Amino acid sequence: MSLPAIARLMIGLTLGGVVIAALVLLLLRPAPQPAPDAALEQSAEPAPRWAEPAAVPPAASERTRAGIAGRPDADWTAAVAAETGIPERALAAYAGAAIAKRSERPDCDLGWNTLAGIGWVESRHGSYGGASLAEDGTVSPPIIGIALDGSTTALIPDTDGGAIDGDAEFDRAVGPMQFIPGSWANWFVDGSGDGVADPHNIDDAALAAANYLCRATPTLGDEASWRAGIAAYNSASSYLDAVATRSALYARAAAQAVP
């Protein structure tokens, strides 16, 4: 699927009278067309309008890992990963974040498939540019976007002294869910349970994205609200189409794996 070289920055979101600007930005550099995930094929059909929340993953009877990645049942994770092609470690983060939000905010109705759709578009589940996921969820080498210097992007001067993006002049989007430093400063969370909130860790990034989406819209359980939530993450129409297509594919594949 074709994506713009740089996606537009979403305007600030008003929460409790406080405007939070410079939210999450998609930064995918031009690259050859990636192969689709295993067992999934691109369709010539038009993109769906939205992706209904997939069934909530079963919770593990006994957690084998700290943080959100230990929340989903391991057999479910293995079966769905095999059917969808999502790496098990990435899927555990998406599913764990969705379980956590369903417990905390059932009204949000956030499906793990939506987080997985975003993760695929943003970073190919932490594999963009040859990166890979370690067992602790950390992406290496770090996925860092181009400088937001105003030349072909929004102009966002450095906000973190280069602490998480390595650039002390301009901000850059980072990690598997592509947070810019200013956004991470608002949404950072320790999803891995290691005591550190790290945008380069897929557990932390997935839970931060879940928290953001459930604040951006009252629910993701209907078409209009889902589209509003994804548009808050990134407003480009091609981005909405890509996330909707991928999220819907994942939900259908998962239903086949664990009917």
Side-chain angles (χ1 to χ4, degrees):
M1 85 185 44
S2 176
L3 294 176
I6 200 81
R8 293 172 292 176
L9 182 67
M10 183 61 190
I11 62 172
L13 174 69
T14 301
L15 294 176
V18 178
V19 176
I20 300 176
L23 298 175
V24 181
L25 183 71
L26 169 69
L27 285 177
L28 287 179
R29 290 158 289 184
Q33 179 80 1
D37 292 339
L40 295 180
E41 303 227 350
Q42 295 292 345
S43 171
E45 298 178 0
R49 290 283 300 169
W50 74 299
E52 295 185 48
V56 180
S61 57
E62 183 176 346
R63 298 190 191 185
T64 58
R65 127 184 7 260
I68 61 171
R71 301 193 69 157
D73 178 74
D75 291 339
W76 178 92
T77 303
V80 173
E83 188 69 26
T84 61
I86 302 172
E88 283 192 42
R89 187 62 186 81
L91 180 58
Y94 304 140
I99 291 173
K101 293 310 294 181
R102 186 59 62 100
S103 174
E104 175 190 331
R105 282 278 315 278
D107 56 309
C108 178
D109 209 7
L110 172 64
W112 64 266
N113 56 315
T114 290
L115 291 173
I118 292 172
W120 186 84
V121 174
E122 295 287 7
S123 71
R124 303 306 187 257
H125 307 307
S127 69
Y128 185 76
S132 62
L133 276 170
E135 186 58 26
D136 68 355
T138 301
V139 175
S140 179
I143 299 173
I144 300 177
I146 64 173
L148 302 177
D149 59 8
S151 57
T152 59
T153 68
L155 173 61
I156 306 181
D158 173 66
T159 60
D160 70 330
I164 66 173
D165 61 4
D167 190 335
E169 186 175 5
F170 300 102
D171 272 353
R172 298 169 181 255
V174 302
M177 302 301 271
Q178 288 289 276
F179 279 95
I180 58 174
S183 297
W184 185 251
N186 290 320
W187 298 101
F188 71 92
V189 64
D190 173 21
S192 64
D194 64 359
V196 178
D198 180 4
H200 300 288
N201 180 281
I202 198 162
D203 297 334
D204 299 352
L207 186 56
N211 290 342
Y212 170 69
L213 288 168
C214 287
R215 289 282 187 172
T217 185
T219 180
L220 288 105
D222 63 73
E223 178 183 319
S225 300
W226 188 92
R227 289 182 66 84
I230 302 305
Y233 207 94
N234 186 295
S235 61
S237 60
S238 58
Y239 186 85
L240 282 164
D241 288 348
V243 172
T245 298
R246 185 57 45 166
S247 301
L249 283 171
Y250 285 150
R252 290 197 297 271
Q256 294 175 355
V258 284

